[in-house]
Amino acid sequence: MTCAIREGAEIKIWHRLDHLRGFKRQRAMSKNGYPVKIGILGCMAERLKEKLIEKEKSVDIVAGPDSYRDLPRLLAVTENGQTAVNVLLSLDETYADVVPVRLNKNNITAFISVMRGCDNMCTYCIVPFTRGKERSRPVTSIVDEIKLLSDQGVKEVTLLGQNVNSYRDISQQTEKYETNLAKGFKTVYKTKKGGLRFADLLEKVSSVDPEMRIRFTAAHPKDFPDEVLQIITERSNICNQLHLPAQSGSSTVLERMRRGYTREAYLELVAKVRSVIPGVALSTDMICGFCGETEEEFQETLTLMETVRYHTAFLFSYSMREKTTAYRRYKDDVPNDVKKDRHTRMLKLYIQSCHVLNQAELGKVHLVLIESINKKTQQLVGRNEMYLKVNVDQTEILSEDGGKRAIKIGDYVAVKITDAKASAFSGVPLYHTSIKEFYRDKCYGNEIVVQL
Ligand code: SAH
Ligand code: SF4
C-alpha cells in the first residue's frame, strides 16, 4: 500500500521492493510454500502506472486507489504469469458498502474514511491526480459502521477526508444552510449544492454512542462553517481539537500554493475558532522551501507558528511532484540545504512552543482514554482530548461504584498532569470516569477529592 505525496514516501517503496524481489525469488526456488505475488496498491501505483512494471519486472499487480474491488480478478490474471493493471479512477467509488475487517480486534481506536479524492488543486499537491475527484460516502453507511465499531468496544473514531468541510451526502437532499466563504477565502472550483453537510454528519455520528470520542481530519481553512464549530461545542464527545493545516504563513506563498486564503484570513479564523471553542488544541501541516520561497516569506511561517502556537505540527520540506501546477508553472529553486535548514528552524520553534503550551497544563486534570501498555516501562499510555499522549502508572483507582479497580485499556480516567514534555505528558490517575461524568463534574466545578 503506497503513498505518493512526497518523493521520500516513494523512495521507501523502491527499497521495500528490493527486499520483496529477493523474497519472491527465494520462494520460487523453495519446494514449500505458495509462490509470492507482489502488488503495488494506492497512490504510487496510480501515479506511475505501467512505468512501474517497466522498471520493476517482479511486480504482478498495479492497482490504483479506486480499483480495490477488482483485486480478485487482478489476482486471477496473474495466475498464468501475466501482470495485471487497473489504475482507473472513479467518480463515485467510496467503498461505502465494504465493511473493513479489523485485524487487531483489541484496538479501541479506529479510522473511518468519510470521503475520497480532492477538488482543491493546491499547486504543490499530487492528491487530486492520484485520488481523483472529491466524493462523499453516504451518512447512513458511515453511521452503520460506527454502530458496529461501538458494539465491538471501539471508544474513539477519527473521520478522514482530504477536506472534511466540503463533505456533502447528495443522496439525502435538504433545504438547510449553504455556507458562504468568509471574507479572505476563495475556492477554485464551483461548490456543489444541497445534501447533508459535515456538521450534519458530526451530529449523527456523535449521537451513536455518547461515550465514543469523535475526531476528524483534515479541515481545510478555506471553507470552515460555523455549524461545525457549534456542534463541537455542543457535543462533549467531539474532541476540542482541530487539524487546520496552514501550509505557510506568507500570503504570497499561499497565493502561489493556491490555498485560497491569506495569512490574515487564517489568523482571523484561528481567533474565531478559539473564541467559540475555548481551550481548543490546534494542529497544522507546514511546508518550507516551496518554489520561490524567500527568507522573508519563510520568516512569516515562523511568526505565524509563534502567533498561533500549535499543539501538534507536521512539518515538511517541499518535494516537487510531476503533473502538479507547480511542476508546470514554477521552479523548485530553493536549494536542498536551505530547505533542510528551514525545516530544522521550524522544528525547533515548534518544540519550544509545545513545551510552553504543555507546561501550562501542569496540575490540571485531563480526561484520558487509555489505549495501550508501554512494554518497556509497563506504564499505561492514553491520550487526552488534545490527542497528546499521557503516561500513567498501572494502579488501582476509585471506580464508578465507590470501590477500587485496576485501570485497563479502553477506560476513561481522570488524570492529574504532573510532568509535561514537548510531546507527551505524565500524570497521576485519580479516578475512573466517563465522558458524561467528567464534563458534568467540570461544568459544576465538582472536585473529587482523592487521596494521592
Ligand atoms: N488535504 C490535506 C492534506 C493532505 S496531504 C490538506 O489540505 O490539509 C498531507 C500534507 O502533506 C499536506 O498538508 C502538505 O503539508 C504535505 N504535502 C503535500 N504535498 C506536498 C509536497 N509536494 N511536498 C511537501 N509536502 C507536501
Ligand atoms: Fe492536496 Fe490541497 Fe487537496 Fe489537501 S486540499 S489534498 S493539500 S490539493
Side-chain angles (χ1 to χ4, degrees):
M1 183 58 82
T2 61
C3 172
I5 197 90
R6 282 167 293 274
E7 203 186 346
E10 291 189 0
I11 290 172
K12 272 190 204 152
I13 299 295
W14 289 118
H15 288 320
R16 185 104 181 104
L17 276 169
D18 282 345
H19 169 79
L20 288 175
R21 202 185 308 116
F23 182 60
K24 184 174 173 177
R25 215 178 298 125
Q26 255 178 11
R27 263 297 172 83
M29 287 188 303
S30 86
K31 288 197 184 73
N32 308 318
Y34 292 102
V36 167
K37 305 267 182 208
I38 301 179
I40 302 208
L41 317 186
C43 288
M44 185 174 165
E46 189 65 48
R47 194 179 87 77
L48 295 174
K49 305 190 169 93
E50 285 84 0
K51 265 196 229 153
L52 249 174
I53 305 161
E54 283 160 29
K55 228 175 140 181
E56 185 52 69
K57 302 270 183 268
S58 52
V59 169
D60 302 282
I61 296 177
V62 175
D66 285 347
S67 56
Y68 302 149
R69 281 178 209 269
D70 197 25
L71 282 172
R73 186 191 67 84
L74 295 173
L75 263 172
V77 169
T78 65
E79 283 308 307
N80 45 18
Q82 271 178 283
T83 311
V85 182
N86 184 346
V87 284
L88 289 177
L89 285 174
S90 153
L91 289 178
D92 49 19
E93 177 62 273
T94 59
Y95 300 111
D97 55 333
V98 178
V99 182
V101 175
R102 298 182 62 232
L103 293 178
N104 185 351
K105 291 242 160 49
N106 299 328
N107 264 2
I108 53 134
T109 57
F111 292 90
I112 298 190
S113 188
V114 300
M115 56 203 294
R116 298 182 70 81
C118 182
D119 289 343
N120 273 320
M121 303 297 278
C122 302
T123 56
Y124 52 82
C125 185
I126 189 77
V127 170
F129 303 94
T130 55
R131 289 292 181 105
K133 299 296 273 176
E134 180 193 283
R135 62 225 107 117
S136 300
R137 184 176 156 187
V139 167
T140 44
S141 115
I142 299 166
V143 168
D144 287 348
E145 190 177 336
I146 292 198
K147 280 183 186 152
L148 197 77
L149 291 171
S150 165
D151 292 345
Q152 293 173 351
V154 169
K155 289 288 178 62
E156 181 179 299
V157 155
T158 306
L159 310 176
L160 300 176
Q162 295 300 346
N163 174 17
V164 291
N165 284 329
S166 57
Y167 177 88
R168 206 179 276 271
D169 175 3
I170 40 173
S171 67
Q172 305 206 27
Q173 283 307 322
T174 140
E175 293 301 307
K176 280 195 3 204
Y177 62 88
E178 279 301 326
T179 37
N180 293 319
L181 291 177
K183 200 171 133 263
F185 294 91
K186 58 179 189 239
T187 187
V188 289
Y189 60 91
K190 200 163 169 272
T191 38
K192 297 168 198 138
K193 292 243 176 312
L196 290 178
R197 307 301 319 274
F198 190 58
D200 304 314
L201 177 69
L202 276 179
E203 191 265 319
K204 295 208 161 30
V205 157
S206 58
S207 305
V208 171
D209 176 355
E211 289 302 319
M212 180 190 258
R213 267 182 174 175
I214 309 293
R215 301 184 192 272
F216 55 88
T217 190
H220 196 298
K222 153 179 79 67
D223 46 2
F224 208 107
D226 293 349
E227 289 77 4
V228 170
L229 296 180
Q230 198 54 41
I231 189 89
I232 299 175
T233 57
E234 281 167 17
R235 300 288 165 103
S236 44
N237 60 334
I238 306 181
C239 290
N240 288 352
Q241 173 233 337
L242 273 185
H243 186 57
L244 212 56
Q247 312 296 359
S248 166
S250 150
S251 294
T252 43
V253 174
L254 288 167
E255 175 80 34
R256 289 204 291 284
M257 288 179 162
R258 210 197 271 139
R259 283 293 286 181
Y261 51 87
T262 56
R263 172 191 175 95
E264 292 69 34
Y266 182 88
L267 286 172
E268 263 173 48
L269 176 67
V270 166
K272 180 163 143 195
V273 168
R274 289 211 158 120
S275 74
V276 180
I277 318 171
V280 64
L282 295 179
S283 56
T284 190
D285 293 349
M286 287 293 188
I287 301 176
C288 65
F290 182 59
C291 307
E293 187 189 66
T294 61
E295 173 60 27
E296 290 71 38
E297 285 172 330
F298 171 67
Q299 292 210 4
E300 289 190 274
T301 293
L302 296 182
T303 56
L304 183 99
M305 289 175 71
E306 247 167 345
T307 311
V308 178
R309 289 227 164 127
Y310 294 102
H311 277 90
T312 309
F314 301 93
L315 310 171
F316 307 108
S317 291
Y318 173 61
S319 160
M320 175 74 101
R321 310 309 284 140
E322 264 175 63
K323 271 197 181 175
T324 57
T325 309
Y327 180 80
R328 285 182 278 117
R329 194 180 289 173
Y330 304 132
K331 258 191 152 160
D332 185 11
D333 52 2
V334 178
N336 271 340
D337 55 339
V338 176
K339 282 183 187 170
K340 227 175 172 176
D341 174 62
R342 290 181 186 170
H343 188 270
T344 311
R345 284 154 69 196
M346 284 200 294
L347 191 63
K348 203 169 150 203
L349 178 71
Y350 163 56
I351 293 172
Q352 271 168 3
S353 107
C354 274
H355 213 83
V356 177
L357 277 177
N358 292 352
Q359 288 286 318
E361 298 302 314
L362 284 174
K364 291 189 188 163
V365 178
H366 288 194
L367 177 65
V368 176
L369 173 62
I370 304 295
E371 288 181 13
S372 59
I373 297 177
N374 180 330
K375 289 210 175 85
K376 235 185 190 164
T377 62
Q378 287 302 307
Q379 275 195 312
L380 294 159
V381 188
R383 285 191 195 263
N384 62 11
E385 250 202 84
M386 304 169 191
Y387 202 59
L388 296 174
K389 274 193 180 153
V390 182
N391 299 302
V392 298
D393 285 336
Q394 296 200 40
T395 172
E396 287 199 337
I397 51 170
L398 208 63
S399 68
E400 299 82 343
D401 60 10
K404 272 193 160 189
R405 70 174 171 87
I407 309 169
K408 59 177 187 347
I409 291 169
D411 283 347
Y412 284 109
V413 174
V415 177
K416 185 169 183 159
I417 303 299
T418 52
D419 186 48
K421 301 253 169 8
S423 61
F425 292 109
S426 296
V428 178
L430 301 178
Y431 55 92
H432 287 280
T433 186
S434 60
I435 294 182
K436 192 170 148 216
E437 275 176 29
F438 185 82
Y439 288 106
R440 191 191 50 210
D441 291 344
K442 222 173 156 178
C443 189
Y444 293 109
N446 292 350
E447 186 118 333
I448 300 190
V449 182
V450 183
Q451 206 78 45
L452 294 178

